[in-house]
Amino acid sequence: MEAVAVAPRVPVAISQRSAVAGASSQRARSLAAPQQQRWRRLSSSSSSVAGASLVKSVAQARGARIAKASSSSRLVVEAKDESFDYDLIIIGAGVGGHGAALHAVEQGLKTAIIEGDVVGGTCVNRGCVPSKALLAVSGRMRELKDEHHLKSLGIQVAAAQYDRQAVADHANNLAARIRGNLTNSMKAIGVDILDGFGTLVTPQKVKYGKPGAAEKTVTAKDVIIATGSTPFVPPGIEVDGKTVFTSDEALKLEWIPDWIAIVGSGYIGLEFSDVYTALGAEVTFVEALDIIMPGFDPEIGKLAQRVLITPRAIDYHTGVLAKKITPARDGKPVQIELVDTKTREYKETLEVDAALIATGRAPFTKGLGLENVNVTTNRGFVPVNETMQVLDSDGNVIPHLFCIGDANGKLMLAHAASAQGISVVENIKGHSNVLNHLSVPAACFTHPEISMVGLTEPQARDRAAVEGFEVSVAKTSFKANSKALAENEADGMAKMIYRPDTGEILGVHILGLHAADLIHEVSNAMATGQTLNDIKFAVHAHPTLSEVIDELYKSAKYGEHANAHA
């Protein structure tokens, strides 16, 4: 992948563009301190509706809020702290902020979310969601154009065609629909959506507003930064949004170039190569590292190259940097000057119709007012501890201030941001919670798909060398799966890295039909601490693709059987 200021794992497009935040640090308290708000539970029998109404009326008259308890016949009354406008303010209404907001309300917190752009952030508007709409089209086109595959199933179809604008509309309409769903889901439960960009004044005070409009100030006991990321464009690359562009512009699908260079061969680049080649374009990857698709387990990467790169109209250059990219102008095509990654010696100049810059993502944290709370970022990332509490320039926890998602760089995935937000709310409520990031799955929605969770084999062996344990690997092929054979889509494999002494699963990597769906069984097992002994005898329906995972479990040798495997 091109040189990029992003976190360790290759990112899926996600972010919230709002850079807002703030908070005043009076009456600061640590998470370990007693809650300032006291809860008292008032029970009434299901027949005593009048009594419950009276309790509610009295509570509201005293400035309290009513939260739903687990039973419809019970009320939870939370005393309101008048010194703050809200219990929780979330800066950024992307997937991470949305997940945190919903859980906060469920936990009885009066919540506001500040958004300076559009609800849904990058994932919904310029990333995960619209890209899946385009990939759905590319998948159908591949099926319809694969005459050999269709013939083997006894199907004959006329030549497949597509309407570019209709495809683009499908992606845009999907994003709008999901954006509306997210907005309505928050409004329905009483989350206040505050419109504007914001700045931290103190850890518990936020000012927000739109350019040219008067700013407003709000306070909260706790504040979560969830401002996400933006596409990273390396120096020397001139983006015009038409012939040289990022994923933001590519998702609009304004045209299909005959030949497009994709700078970076991670998740984003690989998915767009799937879209463009399915719609008739030729693709050239420009990769700074020595191998194509460097973010994947090496064995899976080699298979992916054979399945996703070699048979398609794709070539690649590895070990080179795009030192300079000039958009098409004055009748000249896009020009890409390539230099050796290590020596910086000139290699060649590519001339193509378009260039997509897929070199990762950078945190969107400028303008947040982090300097007001003594926070120094690392390449733009906000430093946090394992519970997402923001750390100041001296490495000390700033009470009441948290940061989740792309902005902290721990794991740049939309669902990771949401999980971090939920974890933060749990800790705010006094329920100790630390997210196990190694159990968070990731997926690349190519055809076929790639998914993974945990460590790659090299990472596991490096860890084993330091900690002093053995590593074993189990593998299975989709060619042995009845459902994959019935679909005539048996290209693929699953690979599990584990400890033979304890049966601990260290990582699983899958390439094959519906790999993105299959990975969750393993990720949930890892999240709950299950070993192979706990899940080896689980029953999987036959014939299903889930039996690929079942075969991994059954082929693993651990405990007293480990030596027999050796």
Side-chain angles (χ1 to χ4, degrees):
M1 177 177 290
E2 272 286 357
V4 45
V6 294
R9 201 159 172 185
V10 183
V12 172
I14 45 177
S15 80
Q16 302 84 323
R17 271 187 190 268
S18 51
V20 255
S24 109
S25 192
Q26 334 115 300
R27 308 182 56 175
R29 60 171 175 80
S30 70
L31 283 176
Q35 297 290 326
Q36 292 179 358
Q37 299 179 344
R38 295 174 177 267
W39 293 67
R40 52 191 180 86
R41 299 183 177 275
L42 303 174
S43 300
S44 61
S45 68
S46 56
S47 60
S48 183
V49 178
S53 298
L54 177 60
V55 170
K56 183 174 181 179
S57 298
V58 172
Q60 289 174 334
R62 293 177 178 175
R65 295 188 295 105
I66 305 298
K68 292 183 180 179
S70 57
S71 169
S72 60
S73 63
R74 304 182 69 194
L75 293 174
V76 177
V77 182
E78 183 181 359
K80 183 178 179 181
D81 190 332
E82 298 290 351
S83 61
F84 295 101
D85 299 315
Y86 296 95
D87 297 318
L88 178 65
I89 290 175
I90 302 165
I91 305 158
V95 171
H98 175 265
L102 265 58
H103 193 59
V105 173
E106 180 183 305
Q107 293 298 309
L109 300 180
K110 182 181 180 183
T111 303
I113 196 162
I114 303 174
E115 179 54 64
D117 188 15
V118 287
V119 170
T122 293
C123 177
V124 171
N125 299 287
R126 298 174 294 276
C128 326
V129 170
S131 68
K132 299 310 158 291
L134 299 184
L135 284 160
V137 174
S138 71
R140 300 296 191 280
M141 287 297 296
R142 290 192 186 284
E143 291 177 5
L144 294 173
K145 288 163 57 175
D146 191 343
E147 294 182 8
H148 177 74
H149 181 221
L150 293 175
K151 187 176 181 180
S152 69
L153 297 173
I155 299 174
Q156 295 182 358
V157 297
Q161 296 180 326
Y162 68 89
D163 180 330
R164 181 201 57 77
Q165 187 57 55
V167 174
D169 290 344
H170 171 53
N172 292 333
N173 292 339
L174 177 63
R177 180 178 179 182
I178 302 299
R179 180 169 62 247
N181 289 345
L182 263 61
T183 303
N184 293 335
S185 68
M186 290 191 290
K187 288 182 177 179
I189 60 174
V191 176
D192 288 344
I193 301 176
L194 309 179
D195 185 27
F197 296 92
T199 304
L200 285 166
V201 180
T202 70
Q204 294 175 295
K205 183 183 294 182
V206 184
K207 63 179 181 180
Y208 71 96
K210 288 285 191 178
E215 289 185 322
K216 299 179 181 179
T217 299
V218 286
T219 62
K221 295 177 187 174
D222 296 285
V223 173
I224 298 176
I225 298 169
T227 49
S229 65
T230 57
F232 172 74
V233 179
I237 297 178
E238 181 184 345
V239 172
D240 67 351
K242 298 296 182 182
T243 59
V244 179
F245 44 81
T246 69
S247 56
D248 284 2
E249 294 82 24
L251 288 167
K252 298 175 184 177
L253 205 70
E254 293 181 342
W255 66 302
I256 306 295
D258 292 332
W259 183 12
I260 182 170
I262 299 179
V263 183
S265 62
Y267 289 45
I268 300 172
L270 202 57
E271 288 186 350
F272 273 106
S273 76
D274 194 289
V275 172
Y276 280 118
T277 54
L279 300 183
E282 295 182 14
V283 169
T284 295
F285 276 116
V286 176
E287 174 56 57
L289 298 183
D290 291 333
I291 58 172
I292 199 80
M293 296 176 289
F296 300 98
D297 179 89
E299 192 168 7
I300 293 293
K302 289 180 181 178
L303 179 59
Q305 184 173 335
R306 181 175 68 79
V307 175
L308 300 174
I309 303 293
T310 304
R312 301 178 180 178
I314 300 175
D315 67 351
Y316 55 88
H317 300 263
T318 57
V320 293
L321 286 171
K323 180 181 179 181
K324 183 179 181 181
I325 299 182
T326 305
R329 62 169 66 102
D330 301 327
K332 296 180 180 179
V334 173
Q335 296 187 334
I336 305 175
E337 182 181 328
L338 301 180
V339 299
D340 185 276
T341 300
K342 297 174 183 176
T343 67
R344 295 300 195 270
E345 293 181 359
Y346 172 79
K347 301 292 288 185
E348 63 178 302
T349 296
L350 298 179
E351 293 187 344
V352 294
D353 298 310
L356 166 62
I357 313 305
T359 47
R361 302 188 64 82
F364 187 69
T365 53
K366 289 184 178 180
L368 265 175
L370 293 170
E371 65 281 359
N372 296 334
V373 290
N374 190 31
V375 171
T376 302
T377 63
N378 179 13
R379 295 176 300 150
F381 294 108
V382 177
V384 296
N385 64 10
E386 63 178 7
T387 56
M388 309 302 132
Q389 292 175 287
V390 175
L391 306 178
D392 66 19
S393 299
D394 298 317
N396 300 316
V397 167
I398 300 176
H400 309 291
L401 186 60
F402 303 83
C403 181
I404 64 173
D406 286 17
N408 70 34
K410 280 186 172 289
L411 187 55
M412 301 181 79
L413 300 167
H415 48 282
S418 181
Q420 289 173 1
I422 292 169
S423 178
V424 166
V425 171
E426 285 293 295
N427 284 303
I428 287 173
K429 293 298 298 178
H431 311 142
S432 179
N433 187 286
V434 176
L435 176 65
N436 175 12
H437 287 85
L438 281 178
S439 71
V440 178
C444 185
F445 294 86
T446 47
H447 297 90
E449 296 171 343
I450 307 172
S451 64
M452 68 289 298
V453 63
L455 303 175
T456 64
E457 184 176 347
Q459 289 171 339
R461 295 197 181 281
D462 288 345
R463 175 177 157 186
V466 173
E467 298 182 15
F469 60 83
E470 297 295 321
V471 168
S472 292
V473 175
K475 303 174 189 176
T476 187
S477 172
F478 277 67
K479 288 181 170 62
N481 182 267
S482 300
K483 184 64 160 56
L485 291 170
E487 299 277 354
N488 202 12
E489 294 193 32
D491 280 331
M493 68 172 289
K495 173 182 181 179
M496 178 171 65
I497 304 106
Y498 65 98
R499 287 184 59 161
D501 56 343
T502 63
E504 178 189 358
I505 301 172
L506 301 175
V508 169
H509 305 264
I510 309 171
L511 186 152
L513 187 63
H514 295 301
D517 299 312
L518 296 176
I519 197 65
H520 296 94
E521 176 179 338
V522 182
S523 66
N524 288 335
M526 293 175 67
T528 54
Q530 295 183 77
T531 67
L532 288 170
N533 192 55
D534 298 320
I535 57 181
K536 186 171 185 177
F537 301 106
V539 179
H540 295 72
H542 174 78
T544 62
L545 293 171
S546 69
E547 291 175 292
V548 170
I549 304 301
D550 188 39
E551 288 300 318
L552 276 184
Y553 297 156
K554 287 180 167 54
S555 64
K557 307 298 180 184
Y558 59 94
E560 62 183 17
H561 303 292
N563 292 334
H565 180 62

